[in-house]
């Protein structure tokens, strides 16, 4: 089923009229539903998906595996919320498996990310360990394929 939220995730720049036509709804109803979803917190915001490799060649994205000591009566929530408030942090998730939090961080270069990890993240009470993995190349981001010019390139065939 094609829902309003699915359409907005694909392209949040569509007008209410375009959305109404696609979904077989009235334009006023679409506007009201978008407002309701925003007010309820189902829609957290709207953002552009940027190809940093093309726009900012030194830009760095890292995923940090963080092990923490859960707080009494707060579990992971308070510490995760403190981490998520840093402007360098783009996403923060509670995970199952060998680490507790997955923290996605962006910086203008490697040094900025390293400073964040060493000066801010690792020094917080409750952090047991942090393992940083740097993103090397993007193929797909938030459901969007990165346009790669591979026209005419073929893999070599050997007998």
């Amino acid at each position: 089923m094609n829902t309003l939220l699915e359409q907005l995730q694909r392209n949040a720049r569509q007008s209410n009229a375009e959305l109404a036509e696609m979904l077989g709804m009235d334009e006023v109803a679409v506007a009201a539903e978008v407002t309701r979803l925003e007010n309820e917190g189902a829609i957290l915001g709207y953002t552009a998906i940027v190809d940093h490799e093309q726009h900012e060649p030194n830009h760095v994205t890292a995923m940090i595996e963080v092990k923490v000591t859960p707080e009494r009566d707060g579990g992971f929530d308070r510490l995760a919320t403190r981490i998520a408030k840093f402007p360098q942090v783009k996403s923060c998730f509670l995970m199952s498996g060998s680490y507790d939090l997955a923290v996605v961080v962006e910086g203008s270069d490697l040094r900025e990310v390293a400073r964040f990890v060493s000066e801010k993240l690792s020094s917080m009470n409750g952090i047991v360990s942090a393992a940083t993995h740097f993103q090397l190349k993007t193929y797909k981001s938030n459901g969007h394929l990165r346009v790669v010019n591979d026209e005419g390139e073929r893999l070599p065939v050997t007998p």
Side-chain angles (χ1 to χ4, degrees):
M1 183 175 171
N2 197 10
T3 68
L4 178 59
L5 284 174
E6 289 170 334
Q7 283 300 320
L8 289 172
Q9 283 181 299
R10 281 189 201 103
N11 181 1
R13 294 185 62 167
Q14 296 173 93
S15 69
N16 289 339
E18 292 169 320
L19 290 165
E21 185 177 325
M22 280 185 223
L23 299 170
M25 295 173 67
D26 178 71
E27 188 175 342
V28 174
V30 167
E33 183 65 4
V34 168
T35 299
R36 183 186 71 76
L37 291 166
E38 290 170 344
N39 291 338
E40 289 179 357
I43 296 175
L44 299 175
Y46 302 90
T47 187
I49 301 167
V50 177
D51 183 349
H52 291 288
E53 291 177 37
Q54 187 173 10
H55 180 64
E56 303 168 277
N58 294 324
H59 184 270
V60 176
T61 301
M63 197 279 290
I64 307 168
E65 298 174 356
V66 182
K67 291 183 183 179
V68 303
T69 302
E71 296 178 344
R72 180 174 297 155
D73 298 326
F76 298 103
D77 292 345
R78 271 189 247 148
L79 188 56
T81 300
R82 283 181 44 216
I83 292 169
K85 287 181 180 179
F86 285 107
Q88 297 90 340
V89 174
K90 300 306 171 194
S91 299
C92 184
F93 308 98
L94 180 62
M95 303 296 289
S96 64
S98 61
Y99 57 94
D100 303 308
L101 301 174
V103 181
V104 179
V105 175
E106 292 184 356
S108 59
D109 58 27
L110 286 169
R111 286 186 186 96
E112 184 179 340
V113 172
R115 270 193 309 276
F116 170 78
V117 173
S118 65
E119 296 173 8
K120 295 184 177 163
L121 185 65
S122 295
S123 65
M124 293 176 76
N125 287 333
I127 301 294
V128 175
S129 67
T132 304
H133 305 275
F134 289 98
Q135 177 182 310
L136 300 178
K137 187 172 185 175
T138 301
Y139 296 99
K140 188 173 187 177
S141 181
N142 292 352
H144 294 270
L145 285 171
R146 182 175 180 271
V147 178
V148 179
N149 186 6
D150 61 358
E151 202 173 303
E153 287 186 31
R154 292 179 163 230
L155 296 174
V157 178
T158 57

